[in-house]
Amino acid sequence: MAQHKLLKHLHQEHQEVKNILRKLVKASESDRQQWLDQLRENLVPHMEAEEKHIYPALRQQGGEVKETALEGIEEHSAAKYVCKQLFDVGTSDETFKAKAQVLMELIQHHIQEEESEIFDDIEDSFSAQELDNMFSKFEQEEQSQKKKAKAA
């Protein structure tokens, strides 16, 4: 079965976030802010949209799918905690690079699990029409969150 456009979109965004994080970890102190801003505008809206329109639908499936979704939500919670620390600490703080590295590792782990387990759950649990609807709501939420991130 061909992968639904929702999953292709999520995968593309995962790749973008991983690239931003790699650049953030390697960035000189003077370049950190631009990558931090990119992270704020891409990662947080993506997580918020997943939590509002993908994870709740998976939780309703029950059983193992629900457990996997709950784990994904907890991984988001951990990532948001490290994000907040990273956003608050300042780019010249001696702990900045360590925090960025930890965030990158958390996100890489989460993406690997999401793409190897949750993507299959999504494809197995929903019809094409349901996925189209989920994708539409996801995109709307993400755009709303991106506007908030840029205003912050």
Side-chain angles (χ1 to χ4, degrees), residues 54-115:
I54 294 174
Y55 284 112
L58 288 168
R59 288 176 66 186
Q60 291 178 353
Q61 300 302 307
E64 198 172 310
V65 173
K66 178 180 179 179
E67 290 304 314
T68 304
L70 290 170
E71 185 179 322
I73 292 166
E74 291 306 315
E75 289 174 353
H76 277 201
S77 179
K80 286 179 183 178
Y81 176 77
V82 178
C83 271
K84 179 167 177 14
Q85 288 187 324
L86 194 61
F87 296 149
D88 290 349
V89 73
T91 56
S92 61
D93 190 278
E94 68 178 3
T95 65
F96 183 89
K97 187 173 180 176
K99 290 179 190 316
Q101 180 69 37
V102 168
L103 180 61
M104 183 174 73
E105 291 169 6
L106 279 167
I107 295 299
Q108 286 174 335
H109 168 81
H110 175 70
I111 288 171
Q112 191 277 326
E113 282 193 348
E114 197 168 81
E115 292 189 2

Side-chain angles (χ1 to χ4, degrees), residues 35-51:
W35 296 113
L36 195 58
D37 291 344
Q38 290 240 349
L39 186 67
R40 185 187 322 263
E41 292 173 18
N42 288 280
L43 177 59
V44 176
H46 174 91
M47 289 192 298
E48 293 293 335
E50 281 185 338
E51 289 174 21

Side-chain angles (χ1 to χ4, degrees), residues 6 9 36 49 51 58 69 97 100 111 121-122 127 146 148:
L6 169 64
H9 180 80
L36 195 58
E51 289 174 21
L58 288 168
K97 187 173 180 176
I111 288 171
D121 291 341
I122 290 170
S127 69
K146 283 185 178 196
K148 287 181 188 176

Side-chain angles (χ1 to χ4, degrees), residues 135-148:
F135 183 43
S136 176
K137 289 178 180 179
F138 176 90
E139 283 187 307
Q140 289 172 1
E141 181 66 28
E142 190 174 50
Q143 290 308 311
S144 172
Q145 293 294 330
K146 283 185 178 196
K147 286 178 186 170
K148 287 181 188 176

Side-chain angles (χ1 to χ4, degrees), residues 7-23:
L7 301 179
K8 289 178 184 176
H9 180 80
L10 294 174
H11 175 74
Q12 178 185 356
E13 288 189 347
H14 290 163
Q15 296 309 308
E16 289 173 21
V17 166
K18 287 195 300 188
N19 287 335
I20 292 167
L21 283 164
R22 278 193 288 272
K23 290 174 181 174

